[in-house]
Amino acid sequence: MTIMNTIELLDFITLVFTFLCLISSIIETMKMKKKVKLYKIESLDNLSAEEYLKNLYYKINEIYPKTNTRISIKIIEEKNLEYPENSKVVTRISYPNYPETNNTSYTIQKNTDLQSLYINNKEYFWVSNLKEFNSFNQYSNENQDFLKKWNTCIVYPIKEKMENNIIGFLTISSQKEFNNVKGNKFLMKYIENITDKLYEILLKEDKIQK
């Protein structure tokens, strides 16, 4: 084989390799578009607080099918200004709705997730393996059966926009471990979009007072 033939062969191999890389890139782009379509954030205007929770519930089930998930809104109704950690939080709305657990009262300092936001100023609490987390961090929850029943716990603050005060929490509990990284990134944006609107909705529905 002459040097010229060798060069032509190498050029051909390079061309084929480039073509295959292009095809692979197109396939990956199509896959991403499908996922973006699946995880699309629809308009969340003009919904009730319960409809927001229902919407989020079905989005979670798109990413984690057949998972047992409970979403609730907890409102701070007994604020202790001297000792904020002793403030009381009450479950006001949940989806799916469990009337027997609504109106349940919790103390901030007795719940790791609530305390991390309200006292320690964390942006959110997100743990996808509570049992493992508990073995290193001693997770506490006033619900004695919480660790037995749930494996993922997510809590985001609901804030009054003007004052940036936390008036409540959006909480998500699931039996399944949330380990889909791309799905979780979508959920974070989706939850932030919801919590950004919840204060005005709850005020409109008389669930909170100014």
Side-chain angles (χ1 to χ4, degrees), residues 12 29 45 78 133 141 149 155-156 172 175 177:
F12 176 74
T29 301
D45 295 328
E78 294 181 36
F133 179 87
N141 193 296
K149 185 173 183 181
V155 182
Y156 271 75
I172 302 167
Q175 290 182 339
E177 184 177 338

Side-chain angles (χ1 to χ4, degrees), residues 63-155:
I63 302 169
Y64 299 102
K66 299 180 181 178
T67 182
N68 184 5
T69 301
R70 183 170 186 244
I71 308 171
S72 64
I73 292 174
K74 294 176 171 59
I75 303 297
I76 300 172
E77 296 199 350
E78 294 181 36
K79 187 174 287 189
N80 190 320
L81 297 179
E82 186 174 2
Y83 302 103
E85 67 274 14
N86 291 330
S87 298
K88 298 287 185 180
V89 175
V90 179
T91 301
R92 284 303 179 207
I93 307 172
S94 61
Y95 190 89
N97 187 31
Y98 297 99
E100 68 276 9
T101 60
N102 285 347
N103 303 318
T104 304
S105 178
Y106 302 91
T107 304
I108 295 280
Q109 69 171 347
K110 295 180 181 179
N111 297 273
T112 300
D113 42 17
L114 304 182
Q115 183 169 306
S116 69
L117 274 64
Y118 196 67
I119 305 301
N120 301 332
N121 299 315
K122 300 291 185 183
E123 290 186 27
Y124 56 84
F125 181 87
W126 187 306
V127 175
S128 291
N129 190 328
L130 278 173
K131 294 173 181 62
E132 181 179 315
F133 179 87
N134 182 54
S135 65
F136 294 102
N137 299 276
Q138 296 183 329
Y139 175 81
S140 62
N141 193 296
E142 279 182 273
N143 181 346
Q144 299 300 313
D145 295 324
F146 195 86
L147 274 172
K148 296 177 184 176
K149 185 173 183 181
W150 306 109
N151 201 28
T152 289
C153 177
I154 301 168
V155 182

Side-chain angles (χ1 to χ4, degrees), residues 164-180:
N164 204 35
N165 292 329
I166 295 177
I167 58 90
F169 305 91
L170 175 67
T171 69
I172 302 167
S173 309
S174 179
Q175 290 182 339
K176 185 172 286 190
E177 184 177 338
F178 284 11
N179 52 16
N180 181 329

